[in-house]
Amino acid sequence: VQLVESGGGLVQPGGSLRLSCSASGFTVSRYAMHWVRQAPGKGLQYVSAISSNGGVTYYADSVKGRFTISRDISKNSVYLQMSSLRVEDTAIYYCVRAWGGDWGQGTLVTVSS
Amino acid sequence: DVVMTQSPLSLPVTLGQAASISCRSSQSLVHSDGNTYLNWFHQRPGQSPRRLIYQVSKRVSGVPDRFSGSGSGTDFTLRISRVEAEDVGVYYCMQSTHAWTFGQGTKVEIK
């Protein structure tokens, strides 16, 4: 099992960014997939999830209405579209499979002017 | 939302000695299916978190048996029987019964 995140970078407040999580060794259509973030020097925060059938999504209150999780089964990938970004969204964003047994290496998102 | 509270937040330990971390939830973590979805993770500096324990007391394959989890309902404990140098880092409890919530983390360091 391997999860590889990409798409992070520096963005201005109010801007947008799309994170990708490319999965290998398993099929994303068979597992719930999650995004967890970690601000610099801080703890872990649950961000979003998509169910195994893709029909149910979850968002933390802090990102609801600004972030959208999705997946592309043909590319075996999961995405996190982030808009109206705030300074407090600065963090490493991890892609996580199912019940938390597999994590990617993370991608750093920095929101700053 | 379920709030997870860990203590202590900092834990200096002596090599070879035992260590315990407490985790309390603001509501019962017993799922409607009868299982309790309480996990423990370990994160070393610069690395992704690694799951050690799931469903309160089940050790992930490859995790040394010096790590053990216990508890029920709202009170849980991670115990390291004999701390080794590689055990330093931050430990997080996480509940996945009601969406996911993480504890604040407990930093374990060698005295």
Side-chain angles (χ1 to χ4, degrees), chain A residues 20-51:
Chain A
S20 299
C21 170
S22 178
S24 58
F26 72 100
T27 304
V28 297
S29 61
R30 299 188 64 182
Y31 296 89
M33 296 295 295
H34 311 262
W35 288 96
V36 174
R37 69 184 181 185
Q38 186 170 36
K42 302 297 184 182
L44 301 169
Q45 182 188 22
Y46 193 42
V47 175
S48 182
I50 186 166
S51 62

Side-chain angles (χ1 to χ4, degrees), chain A residues 34 36 38 42-46 58 61 94 96-101 103-106, chain B residues 1 37 39 41 43 46-51 92 94 96-97 99-104:
Chain A
H34 311 262
V36 174
Q38 186 170 36
K42 302 297 184 182
L44 301 169
Q45 182 188 22
Y46 193 42
Y58 169 88
D61 287 344
Y94 295 102
V96 187
R97 181 177 80 142
W99 296 103
W103 294 59
Q105 85 290 347
Chain B
D1 289 1
Y37 296 102
N39 308 268
F41 292 84
Q43 186 178 33
Q47 295 187 11
S48 303
R50 169 199 177 200
R51 190 172 62 169
Y92 296 93
M94 182 269 268
S96 49
T97 297
W100 286 15
T101 317
F102 293 90
Q104 317 98 299

Side-chain angles (χ1 to χ4, degrees), chain B residues 56-90:
Chain B
V56 181
S57 59
K58 299 179 180 179
R59 252 190 324 272
V60 172
S61 176
V63 172
D65 61 7
R66 63 179 183 274
F67 290 93
S68 62
S70 63
S72 63
T74 61
D75 287 348
F76 306 92
T77 301
L78 175 70
R79 187 171 187 270
I80 311 172
S81 59
R82 297 172 305 281
V83 173
E84 298 188 5
E86 64 181 18
D87 299 336
V88 299
V90 181

